[in-house]
Structures are given as C-alpha cells and as structure tokens.
C-alpha cells in the first residue's frame, strides 16, 4: 500500500512506521508490507496506547465518510497526515497536512516535513485537538441531531400517521 511505499522512501525515520490492524483484505487477499512494522489485530485499548505513543497518524483513505480513526488519533495527541479527499478536507482543513490520494512520494515528503519541524507538527496536533473537542464530541453531536429534529418538527408540524389500508387478502 501507499503507506508502506512511503515508509520505504523515508530512510531511517521510515523504520519507525507502525501498522496496527489486520493485514487481510475483505476478499481474502493478504497485505505483505516491506517497510512497516506490523502488529496485527490489537485490542481497542492497545490501539489507544499506540496512538498515545505516535507523533503522526496517516490516513491514506481513498474514500472515508467521516473517519473515526483520525479523530481518535487527534484525541490522543497525534498530528494528522491525510489523503486529500473531500471528507478529510472538510473536517480537518487547516489542522492537518494533506497529500494527493495515492501519492506515495507526496506522503513521504509530508512525513519528512513534519518530522523535521516539531513546531509545525505540534501546531497541527494542537489545532486538530481543539477542533475535535469543539466540534466532534458525542454530546455536541447528539445536541445537533436534537436541534435538527426540533427544526424538522417545527417546519413540518406533527402529522398523524396515515392509517394503514385494509388488507385485501388474508391467509392463514
């Protein structure tokens, strides 16, 4: 995959690139990385521990509707390096380093830049954490759903459900 290829381009800092999670794809294919240290499936607590130890989190998705893993990484102190897809850009613009989807060389460049500039890395991690705590907490999202439901009820009023039609055929 792209992260493995990018890690191979990093030289010594690439030796510290870790992958947690399954190496098996949904159709039975097996990913065989050459440059990542793989740890296989780990418990949710284990994922949290890995994220607390990491400085950077790479999200190389080609499609992602929201992205809970980047959110979890941010809440554990990681700076984000994300593929430049719409959902990631919408959620993390100004708080993450982006690279073109599928671009291993561009990903390697972004990782080098953040490893070489701890102040930038910390600034991005801090901005992303502040955004996450402001926008993406469970109570905030629940309140926004409730507000949306209230608005829909106010706009459309409470309508009684239409009666079910009489059955035309009954079987026993």
């Amino acid at each position: 995959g792209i992260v493995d290829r990018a890690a191979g381009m990093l030289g010594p800092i690439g030796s510290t690139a870790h992958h947690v999670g399954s190496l098996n794809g949904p159709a039975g294919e097996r990913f065989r990385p050459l440059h990542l240290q793989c740890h296989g499936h780990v418990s949710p607590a284990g994922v949290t521990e890995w994220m607390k130890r990491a400085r950077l989190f790479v999200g190389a998705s080609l499609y992602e509707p929201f992205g809970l893993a980047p959110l979890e990484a941010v809440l554990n102190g990681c700076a984000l390096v994300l593929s430049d897809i719409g959902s990631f850009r919408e959620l993390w613009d100004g708080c993450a380093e982006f690279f073109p989807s599928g671009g291993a060389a561009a990903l390697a460049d972004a990782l080098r830049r953040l490893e070489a500039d701890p102040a930038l890395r910390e600034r991005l991690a801090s901005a992303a954490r502040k955004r996450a705590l402001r926008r993406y907490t469970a109570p905030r999202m629940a309140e926004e759903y409730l507000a949306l439901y209230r608005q829909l009820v106010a706009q459309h009023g409470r309508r009684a459900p239409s009666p079910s039609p009489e059955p035309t055929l009954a079987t026993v």
Side-chain angles (χ1 to χ4, degrees), residues 41-107:
H41 177 76
V42 297
S43 69
V47 171
T48 299
E49 285 306 311
W50 275 106
M51 287 186 179
K52 285 180 181 177
R53 292 173 51 195
R55 291 185 299 270
L56 300 171
F57 173 86
V58 175
S61 301
L62 298 175
Y63 170 77
E64 188 74 50
F66 177 78
L68 290 177
L71 176 59
E72 185 177 0
V74 161
L75 294 174
N76 282 292
C78 295
L80 299 175
V81 182
L82 304 171
S83 54
D84 198 355
I85 59 174
S87 57
F88 284 165
R89 181 66 74 169
E90 179 182 343
L91 297 170
W92 303 110
D93 196 25
C95 300
E97 186 76 20
F98 291 94
F99 64 94
S101 296
L107 171 56

Side-chain angles (χ1 to χ4, degrees), residues 105-120:
L107 171 56
D109 289 344
L111 293 170
R112 273 191 213 96
R113 191 169 35 261
L114 290 175
E115 277 298 309
D117 191 343
L120 173 60

Side-chain angles (χ1 to χ4, degrees), residues 1-10 31 33-36 102-105 107-108:
I2 182 175
V3 179
D4 188 50
R5 289 192 312 274
M9 297 175 192
L10 293 174
F31 175 54
L34 301 173
H35 308 287
L36 298 172
L107 171 56

Side-chain angles (χ1 to χ4, degrees), residues 19-23 38-42:
H19 176 273
V20 295
S22 177
L23 296 175
C38 296
H39 305 282
H41 177 76
V42 297

Side-chain angles (χ1 to χ4, degrees), residues 163-167:
S164 298
E166 293 296 319

